[in-house]
Amino acid sequence: MINSRFGKKLVYFLAIAAGVLFLAGVIQTSFLPQLGLFGAVPDLVLILTCGVAFTLGPTDGAVFGLVGGIMIEGLGGYGLALAPLFYTVMGFLFGALSMKVFLPKFTHLLIYDALFCTVKAIYSLARILLSQNGSEWGAALVASVLPELAGTFLLALALTVPTRALAGLLRGRMSLKKGKGGLGDL
């Protein structure tokens, strides 16, 4: 049985996460394609998922990633496909990686951002290779995957401070200490 402290924390976390991810999903699926940053759409939901995972750890990153994956698939009109699994795994892995390897230094954030953007590019390329147009992977790499990598990385750098503030809000207070107050601590 879920104790009341955990239940309240989970409802608070999911309500804020769903609201923020819905807004991010709407921006990612409707506004960012019109912007045409490098000819591709940056992955705003991934940026938020990995930003929360960096600050709060693997459990919160995985929950946030699951909600984000469901949100982005629902808003994109594709039904549930691989995105919820991908975002959940990314949230968990990069949350665990941040707890073990990275410190909240700017150079570590640059490396962290470059790492999760690279994993996203590999995922996008793998989806292209497994699709019907897999033989056109070179053209897709140049026209889609690399521009998405560049756009997502630049947007991740610009949103570093806001995502850490969001993680503090999700924690219930504006403290930036890792492992203090998230769902994983309950």
Side-chain angles (χ1 to χ4, degrees):
M1 180 142 227
I2 297 176
N3 68 32
S4 66
R5 180 175 171 230
F6 179 75
K8 288 178 184 176
K9 191 75 166 172
L10 182 62
V11 168
Y12 177 73
F13 184 93
L14 290 175
I16 292 175
V20 168
L21 287 167
F22 179 76
L23 181 63
V26 167
I27 291 170
Q28 181 174 327
T29 57
S30 62
F31 177 70
L32 288 180
Q34 304 301 322
L35 200 65
L37 186 64
F38 299 113
V41 179
D43 196 340
L44 184 58
V45 173
L46 180 68
I47 293 168
L48 293 174
T49 298
C50 290
V52 166
F54 182 83
T55 304
L56 295 180
T59 304
D60 296 330
V63 171
F64 199 83
L66 177 63
V67 173
I70 292 169
M71 197 70 62
I72 202 69
E73 288 290 352
L75 288 171
Y78 307 118
L80 291 179
L82 288 176
L85 177 63
F86 174 72
Y87 287 111
T88 301
V89 169
M90 290 291 285
F92 183 80
L93 289 178
F94 280 89
L97 188 64
S98 75
M99 299 299 279
K100 301 288 183 197
V101 176
F102 293 102
L103 302 172
K105 294 180 180 177
F106 184 72
T107 54
H108 287 220
L109 290 172
L110 288 174
I111 295 167
Y112 184 82
D113 289 347
L115 215 81
F116 77 74
C117 290
T118 302
V119 171
K120 170 63 174 171
I122 293 168
Y123 170 76
S124 296
L125 187 60
R127 285 191 65 163
I128 291 168
L129 288 172
L130 295 174
S131 74
Q132 294 175 345
N133 299 327
S135 61
E136 304 290 329
W137 70 271
L141 179 68
V142 172
S144 178
V145 175
L146 292 178
E148 180 188 35
L149 172 74
T152 302
F153 181 70
L154 291 175
L155 193 58
L157 292 178
L159 294 177
T160 297
V161 172
T163 56
R164 293 189 70 198
L166 170 65
L169 177 67
L170 287 171
R171 183 180 300 138
R173 58 188 183 278
M174 296 304 288
S175 171
L176 296 177
K177 295 179 182 172
K178 288 186 191 177
K180 302 291 182 193
L183 294 176
D185 293 341
L186 295 177

